[in-house]
Amino acid sequence: MSRSPSFSVKPELTIKPDLASLSRWVHSFCIMRFDLEQGQILEESYPPNRLSQEEEIEVSFNSFPDSVSQKQHNRSSIHDCIFFFRFRRDADNNNNNNNRYLYGYVFNRQRHDERLKRGGEQKSVVILSHAPYSSVFRPLLQIIGPLYFDVGNKAIEHVAGFVSLWPPPVPGMLMELPIGNATLKVNLPPPHSLPLENNGVLYEESASSMAPLLPTNQSVPQGLFHDADLFGVYRGLLLQLWTLWELLLIGEPILIIAPTPPQCSEAVACLVSLVAPLFCSVDFRPYFTIHDPGFARLNSLREGDAFPPMVLGVTNLFFLKALRNMPHVVSVGTPSLNSNRVPFSSRSSAGRLPGGKSSEGLGVQQLSLRRFSPTNLLNAVKLRRDGPLCLMTEHKEAVWTSYAAITKPDTSVLNRLVDAGMSPRVEESMSVVNNEILRRHFLELTTNFLAPFGPYFQVNAPSDGSSPYVTPPPLPSFSADEFLSNLSARGVGKFLSKRMKSNWPDLYRRFLQGPNFVPWFQRRRAVAEQEQRRLWKVARMRTDMRLITSQMNELEAVDSFDAIEKYINEEVKLRESGGGSADSEASFEKLKKDLQAVFSVLPRDMQELLLSNPQRASLLQDPSELQ
């Protein structure tokens, strides 16, 4: 990996960063050094004092490959790698409760030099951000990482200056972000895949932007980590993708183990991306170490205690023993980053494991011929005996789980995938094609799975000729038992019925009980309610109340007057707090006219009573009477 040759630090072009603007994208830049005697050391942090002491320790341990993964690659003179991690923030140092996590994007360099103490050194350049914008920070790391090792600390402030000139992030949009002579063209994940801001619905989040509607523009990301190499990471476990999709859907704890941090962090990102457009509420850690505070809590769980919903990406084989009761274990990747990939048609292993757990890592082609081969039979016996602990002696791609999947692998999708053979150049281009095929399928699968919840998000607009000031009907109430009963009676639809076993209601039942359902459902309802309020506001702006008041009886007129007055008071409060929109003045004037129209049809004695209130009287004063 290398930066653009045209990118360089020129003192006359250095831009002094605006820290407020910088914070829209980046929390801080860190330079970490691994010292043989003192361990991980924070050498530089910009802007300074952004991290608590506990957070500094957390970042330092997550910024380096552990000792096990370091031994997996050849000791060349320079070895660079990029990966990312995620950790829970210190509550005392987090001003925004919604930014409970920080993401760390790491450019790590290991340099082998016999002249140095113990023959080498390690350093990491880390970009910390509250946002999971991997499509932004991965290419940015490819610039700032090598640049730092060329010119030192001044590279950090130089790049920070360009980042602070970027416009605010707009989720779901294609953005062009200049950096030196280059421009990063990136798609940001959509609003519905990101945490809520200010404990409310994101303004950009509309009713049409979320499932259960299948998006028409497939080039726009529908979830997190749309750029992750799904096919490249799971090509040896393609038949298991549907099982993994279900496990994440229902919020089961999953341990993903890989030889290196880039492989395990990419594997976790791919898995999270599988459930798009569902908002993922499972705690995922792309690169998890034994130094994480959460490890002590997990390690203290006793036999029979349930693991919390999480996806852990690890490289240290110690986790296989420490978390031996983790119900689902996935092993991905190859021990050597420099080794050539074997075509996915020949990379397979299968077996039954202790406790009913199974391991399958089967290719697509010649599946039936390989299943009953003597080699596979011996492998199955060995896997049955050793379980995931067999990875202690030899790394292999496999899935260990006792979960019986309900969704059947879609062979028509698998048959469309292209085996690129041994050529790395052709393989990379074919991975792009295969990733699109797989993402399209799982997007369609998740969208169809969520479709039965659609009626609970159905909004209503006032009909033509009716008053827009009556109370809007509430959204349909939801009952889990009623939903499952109705769904079982009418069926799940043609798309899913062809791809799921007859016990598909069990998957919906587990989804309703899992950690993903309630946050997604409540957020989706909030979006629908926001959309309904918008439709009724539009109707109030367009409706001529003079035509409607002529058909009102006295009770309806009084109710309408009270409703309009309530909306006026809400508009006044919004304007006073500075939260009014661009059209708030027009809305306020329209409400006044409607209030006057209703007032004109009220009985004389009631008009006189209402005018006794000076504030109300000022609203009811017709401007023409003042002339």
Side-chain angles (χ1 to χ4, degrees):
M1 59 187 67
S2 63
R3 57 182 168 84
S4 169
S6 62
F7 191 90
S8 60
V9 175
K10 297 180 180 180
E12 65 273 15
L13 297 180
T14 298
I15 303 166
K16 185 172 179 58
D18 178 76
L19 298 186
S21 300
L22 178 66
S23 65
R24 298 182 302 203
W25 292 92
V26 173
H27 180 272
S28 58
F29 296 91
C30 299
I31 304 299
M32 311 300 302
R33 177 171 60 87
F34 181 78
D35 186 273
L36 292 171
E37 296 178 354
Q38 301 179 53
Q40 293 86 346
I41 298 175
L42 174 63
E43 276 195 347
E44 181 76 16
S45 178
Y46 184 86
N49 305 319
R50 285 288 181 92
L51 297 173
S52 67
Q53 186 175 1
E54 292 76 14
E55 290 172 340
E56 285 185 10
I57 295 174
E58 187 97 18
V59 172
S60 66
F61 280 117
N62 283 309
S63 299
F64 294 96
D66 58 38
S67 58
V68 176
S69 62
Q70 289 182 59
K71 298 175 182 177
Q72 300 295 347
H73 60 76
N74 297 327
R75 291 184 61 83
S76 58
S77 58
I78 293 180
H79 179 79
D80 296 339
C81 68
I82 288 178
F83 59 94
F84 78 105
F85 59 87
R86 178 180 188 250
F87 69 94
R88 189 183 295 272
R89 296 203 63 190
D90 182 359
D92 296 334
N93 200 41
N94 182 13
N95 296 325
N96 187 341
N97 291 329
N98 297 308
N99 296 334
R100 292 183 301 163
Y101 293 92
L102 272 180
Y103 294 82
Y105 303 88
V106 182
F107 181 97
N108 173 258
R109 172 164 289 185
Q110 300 180 20
R111 185 165 68 94
H112 179 59
D113 190 337
E114 296 297 343
R115 294 170 298 180
L116 299 175
K117 191 176 181 179
R118 294 200 184 180
E121 69 172 3
Q122 273 198 83
K123 274 193 173 184
S124 291
V125 180
V126 185
I127 303 174
L128 293 175
S129 175
H130 63 274
Y133 296 156
S134 58
S135 59
V136 175
F137 296 117
R138 190 186 302 260
L140 186 59
L141 276 176
Q142 292 177 314
I143 293 175
I144 193 175
L147 186 64
Y148 167 78
F149 288 103
D150 283 352
V151 302
N153 288 340
K154 59 184 177 180
I156 304 301
E157 189 169 350
H158 187 71
V159 171
F162 284 106
V163 174
S164 68
L165 294 179
W166 290 354
V170 183
M173 297 296 291
L174 174 65
M175 301 195 70
E176 295 189 359
L177 308 173
I179 182 80
N181 295 330
T183 299
L184 305 181
K185 294 184 179 182
V186 296
N187 279 298
L188 297 188
H192 62 257
S193 67
L194 301 172
L196 294 175
E197 293 182 356
N198 302 322
N199 297 316
V201 179
L202 287 172
Y203 177 74
E204 300 87 351
E205 197 169 346
S206 65
S208 61
S209 68
M210 302 178 69
L213 300 174
L214 188 65
T216 55
N217 188 354
Q218 296 301 316
S219 64
V220 177
Q222 297 302 316
L224 297 181
F225 312 123
H226 187 264
D227 56 327
D229 188 7
L230 178 60
F231 174 76
V233 172
Y234 288 100
R235 62 184 298 163
L237 301 170
L238 290 174
L239 289 180
Q240 296 302 310
L241 285 179
W242 286 264
T243 299
L244 298 176
W245 173 77
E246 285 190 23
L247 291 176
L248 189 59
L249 190 73
I250 62 179
E252 284 286 302
I254 303 172
L255 179 68
I256 296 180
I257 188 161
T260 65
Q263 292 179 37
C264 81
S265 61
E266 188 80 349
V268 173
C270 290
L271 191 54
V272 171
S273 73
L274 272 187
V275 296
L278 177 70
F279 176 73
C280 182
S281 296
V282 173
D283 183 10
F284 60 91
R285 306 297 181 93
Y287 179 49
F288 189 77
T289 72
I290 59 174
H291 304 286
D292 191 288
F295 173 68
R297 293 190 293 271
L298 295 176
N299 198 33
S300 64
L301 293 176
R302 293 173 294 183
E303 189 84 27
D305 290 345
F307 282 87
M310 58 174 49
V311 180
L312 299 182
V314 303
T315 61
N316 195 331
L317 297 175
F318 174 73
F319 282 100
L320 293 174
K321 294 182 178 179
L323 305 182
R324 59 186 175 276
N325 294 322
M326 183 74 82
H328 317 288
V329 180
V330 182
S331 173
V332 298
T334 54
S336 174
L337 287 173
N338 298 322
S339 63
N340 290 326
R341 276 181 173 153
V342 180
F344 67 85
S345 59
S346 63
R347 296 168 60 181
S348 63
S349 60
R352 300 299 299 177
L353 302 176
K357 291 183 180 180
S358 64
S359 168
E360 297 185 4
L362 302 174
V364 180
Q365 303 172 7
Q366 302 179 353
L367 183 61
S368 60
L369 297 178
R370 296 181 57 81
R371 183 178 296 171
F372 302 108
S373 68
T375 301
N376 274 5
L377 181 60
L378 291 175
N379 287 340
V381 173
K382 188 175 185 301
L383 289 174
R384 178 195 296 270
R385 183 183 68 242
D386 296 340
L389 289 176
C390 68
L391 298 174
M392 301 290 290
T393 56
E394 178 188 6
H395 186 83
K396 59 187 67 179
E397 294 182 308
V399 176
W400 288 271
T401 178
S402 59
Y403 179 79
I406 294 173
T407 310
K408 297 175 286 188
D410 195 318
T411 55
S412 65
V413 172
L414 295 175
N415 288 333
R416 291 168 56 200
L417 300 178
V418 182
D419 186 1
M422 303 293 288
S423 169
R425 183 180 297 275
V426 176
E427 181 180 22
E428 183 177 350
S429 60
M430 288 302 99
S431 276
V432 174
V433 175
N434 290 336
N435 282 332
E436 287 300 317
I437 293 173
L438 291 171
R439 289 202 186 285
R440 169 68 188 184
H441 169 74
F442 280 100
L443 175 63
E444 194 171 7
L445 183 63
T446 308
T447 303
N448 277 274
F449 179 82
L450 299 175
F453 296 98
Y456 298 97
F457 314 131
Q458 188 68 45
V459 299
N460 296 284
S463 57
D464 292 339
S466 64
S467 172
Y469 291 107
V470 299
T471 303
L475 298 181
S477 60
F478 179 80
S479 163
D481 292 337
E482 182 182 354
F483 170 80
L484 290 171
S485 176
N486 293 338
L487 187 61
S488 298
R490 71 173 184 268
V492 76
K494 185 177 180 180
F495 182 88
L496 292 183
S497 62
K498 294 193 304 181
R499 293 166 172 82
M500 289 186 173
K501 300 174 184 177
S502 58
N503 60 334
W504 57 263
D506 292 341
L507 183 59
Y508 277 96
R509 187 173 294 106
R510 297 193 66 168
F511 174 64
L512 291 173
Q513 297 169 351
N516 287 319
F517 170 69
V518 170
W520 170 79
F521 186 83
Q522 290 180 343
R523 183 165 176 171
R524 190 65 184 86
R525 292 272 284 197
V527 172
E529 289 168 352
Q530 177 181 262
E531 175 68 6
Q532 182 159 284
R533 287 193 297 270
R534 186 191 68 82
L535 291 175
W536 281 71
K537 184 174 182 179
V538 170
R540 290 193 294 272
M541 293 294 290
R542 293 177 177 175
T543 302
D544 187 348
M545 282 300 291
R546 292 173 299 180
L547 300 178
I548 296 177
T549 53
S550 61
Q551 305 172 11
M552 285 183 177
N553 57 41
E554 183 177 332
L555 181 59
E556 290 173 337
V558 171
D559 288 342
S560 294
F561 187 93
D562 291 340
I564 297 172
E565 193 173 38
K566 182 190 72 172
Y567 285 118
I568 288 178
N569 291 333
E570 290 176 356
E571 198 70 45
V572 169
K573 288 180 181 178
L574 263 179
R575 294 167 65 183
E576 290 176 347
S577 64
S581 60
D583 61 348
S584 60
E585 184 63 32
S587 177
F588 180 74
E589 292 300 323
K590 178 62 166 61
L591 288 170
K592 282 179 60 178
K593 290 181 180 179
D594 289 347
L595 190 70
Q596 293 163 4
V598 175
F599 177 79
S600 66
V601 300
L602 292 175
R604 188 70 180 176
D605 57 340
M606 186 171 293
Q607 289 181 348
E608 293 176 354
L609 179 63
L610 292 172
L611 288 172
S612 63
N613 183 313
Q615 183 177 1
R616 186 181 292 125
S618 66
L619 295 174
L620 295 172
Q621 184 71 49
D622 191 334
S624 62
E625 297 178 2
L626 301 177
Q627 297 177 357

